[in-house]
Amino acid sequence: MKTAIWLYLFLFVAFFDLHAQYPILTPFAVSIGAAPSFIGLMMGMYSLTHLPGNVIAGYGVDRYGSRLFIVFSLAAAGGILLLQSKVTDPWQLLVLRSISGFVLAFLSPACMSLLARIASDRVKQGKLMAGNGLVHTLASVISPAVGAYLVAQIGFTTAFYVLGWILIGTAACALIFIRELPSSWKKASSPPDSSPSAVTAGTDEPPMTPVPWLIYTLPVAMACAQGILSFELPLMGTTKEAMMTTGLLFSVVSLGALITLSMLFLNRLSPFMRSLWGAFALALVYFAIAAGAPLPFYMLLLLLGMAKGVIFPAISSLLIELSGGVRYGRTFSILSIAFSVGAFLGPMLAGQLRSYVSPYYIAFIALMIAVSVLPFYTLRMGKNPAHFSRTG
């Protein structure tokens, strides 16, 4: 459990540092001459270069463990931020953001795999995944506003420089304090005979089963919608005052997620049903934003965050359950690939189509497609979603 505490601490610092860039990257790109369509390309390329990193992480984490991948990802991302502080041309920024997307692709699969291996049963795994979501959300509540305030006080160059050294320092601490662990399920429940047949027969760990591909339509749609939101909010203004407002808007979204993540009783419900109904609620919120519903924008963003807070830990718990409790690296690598594909499509579509249709409508359609096809997976597998674990 000491490893989990250190991991949560480093994750908080890393997520804080990364989310602090959300409200300032677009204004920075505009300040060096980038057009909105180019910014959409830049955000899309960041997500697209996640894909090879996700694939490498999936096999590498299972074979070599999580520790070195976590350290490499944080240190390389910090070094890129130091270079980013010297950028004067949009194409230079595009190249650096593309490289950053590749190196950061290792972080999420490595961290989630290590958390999953710490636990000795599914109940503890569900709690650790909820803790991961809570740490992520706590960092993202305050970091956008802090990032915007930092730029307002010291400028883009110094802000990127400071954030870069924070990541490098976090990587050094992770190298010292994080320890690699084998799966606690296998340690706790394997019989003296360590042969594969004996392990399979003598434990309550289910055999490995393929995760249905339809499950991944939801993370693709969610990341697409999130990418659209991350693209649209900073375009509301590029002045220092507007950046502060944008940072607060991102913080409101994270605050909404924090509210539902704090509702621990939700973890007793089926992770499938939480994912399905959370996605439906999220789609409705995006539709309300696109349609100009007569509600305060802050309130809509709060509701959006609350829906996300229901879905994210549910997806992780559902994948752990469906994967059979083995090969976490590959399972979360595919999840990260799905997020990367969606995060690539969202800004690209928003940048190209925002003159013709509200990008929030695109987010609504993507989520409704996922909500529509997700139940078919249960029919294909011959399962009733109500029978899924209620302890995830």
Side-chain angles (χ1 to χ4, degrees):
M1 190 54 65
K2 184 183 294 185
T3 298
I5 294 174
W6 280 115
L7 189 58
Y8 283 148
L9 176 62
F10 298 141
L11 283 172
F12 178 85
V13 175
F15 286 136
F16 180 94
D17 196 287
L18 297 174
H19 281 275
Q21 301 176 54
Y22 278 4
I24 64 178
L25 272 174
T26 294
F28 176 65
V30 171
S31 71
I32 58 176
S37 59
F38 186 89
I39 295 172
L41 173 65
M42 179 185 71
M43 296 177 69
M45 287 301 297
Y46 174 86
S47 301
L48 186 63
T49 54
H50 258 53
L51 295 177
N54 291 148
V55 173
I56 296 172
Y59 290 91
V61 169
D62 284 335
R63 184 169 184 178
Y64 301 108
S66 299
R67 179 168 170 260
L68 292 180
F69 286 98
I70 293 173
V71 173
F72 164 76
S73 185
L74 291 173
I80 292 170
L81 274 177
L82 297 183
L83 295 175
Q84 189 171 298
S85 66
K86 309 296 183 182
V87 163
T88 57
D89 179 81
W91 288 102
Q92 295 174 349
L93 183 60
L94 175 65
V95 171
L96 288 177
R97 293 298 295 167
S98 298
I99 299 173
S100 179
F102 174 77
V103 300
L104 283 172
F106 299 94
L107 185 60
S108 181
C111 290
M112 297 184 75
S113 177
L114 183 57
L115 281 174
R117 288 199 300 273
I118 290 173
S120 57
D121 55 56
R122 285 201 184 96
V123 176
K124 292 181 180 179
Q125 280 183 333
K127 292 179 180 179
L128 287 173
M129 291 302 163
N132 174 64
L134 186 62
V135 168
H136 189 163
T137 305
L138 282 172
S140 61
V141 166
I142 57 175
S143 56
V146 172
Y149 178 79
L150 196 63
V151 169
Q153 297 299 314
I154 62 178
F156 290 112
T157 299
T158 308
F160 287 135
Y161 193 77
V162 170
L163 294 175
W165 277 114
I166 290 176
L167 280 180
I168 293 174
T170 304
C173 293
L175 181 63
I176 297 172
F177 294 107
I178 290 182
R179 292 290 178 265
E180 195 64 60
L181 295 174
S183 173
S184 294
W185 281 13
K186 295 179 180 178
K187 287 193 304 180
S189 56
S190 294
D193 183 356
S194 59
S195 65
S197 59
V199 171
T200 302
T203 73
D204 60 359
E205 180 180 328
M208 181 181 179
T209 55
V211 177
W213 288 103
L214 286 177
I215 291 294
Y216 294 105
T217 58
L218 180 54
V220 169
M222 283 192 62
C224 178
Q226 178 61 39
I228 288 172
L229 184 70
S230 299
F231 176 83
E232 285 293 310
L233 285 187
L235 288 178
M236 296 176 64
T238 57
T239 64
K240 291 183 178 180
E241 293 77 11
M243 279 191 292
M244 287 297 299
T245 301
T246 302
L248 290 174
L249 292 177
F250 278 112
S251 295
V252 169
V253 176
S254 299
L255 181 62
L258 181 61
I259 292 174
T260 45
L261 282 170
S262 301
M263 299 178 182
L264 300 180
F265 64 89
L266 291 176
N267 291 328
R268 299 180 180 179
L269 304 177
S270 159
F272 177 84
M273 299 306 293
R274 280 185 282 150
S275 300
L276 183 65
W277 289 106
F280 181 68
L282 187 62
L284 292 181
V285 175
Y286 274 107
F287 181 83
I289 296 175
L295 291 173
F297 192 50
Y298 282 96
M299 179 62 67
L300 291 172
L301 292 180
L302 185 71
L303 294 173
L304 190 150
M306 292 178 68
K308 288 175 55 181
V310 172
I311 302 170
F312 274 118
I315 289 178
S316 299
S317 297
L318 182 60
L319 287 176
I320 289 175
E321 184 175 294
L322 294 175
S323 68
V326 292
R327 296 189 182 178
Y328 297 122
R330 298 184 192 182
T331 299
F332 289 117
S333 171
I334 298 174
L335 176 63
S336 296
I337 289 173
F339 280 131
S340 298
V341 170
F344 168 73
L345 293 175
M348 289 288 291
L349 292 173
Q352 299 300 321
L353 301 178
R354 68 192 310 266
S355 300
Y356 308 100
V357 64
S358 170
Y360 296 117
Y361 275 125
I362 301 174
F364 165 73
I365 293 172
L367 286 165
M368 285 306 297
I369 291 174
V371 170
S372 299
V373 304
L374 203 56
F376 286 102
Y377 129 78
T378 61
L379 298 177
R380 179 182 174 187
M381 300 297 292
K383 294 179 180 179
N384 184 339
H387 295 162
F388 285 6
S389 171
R390 297 179 180 274
T391 58

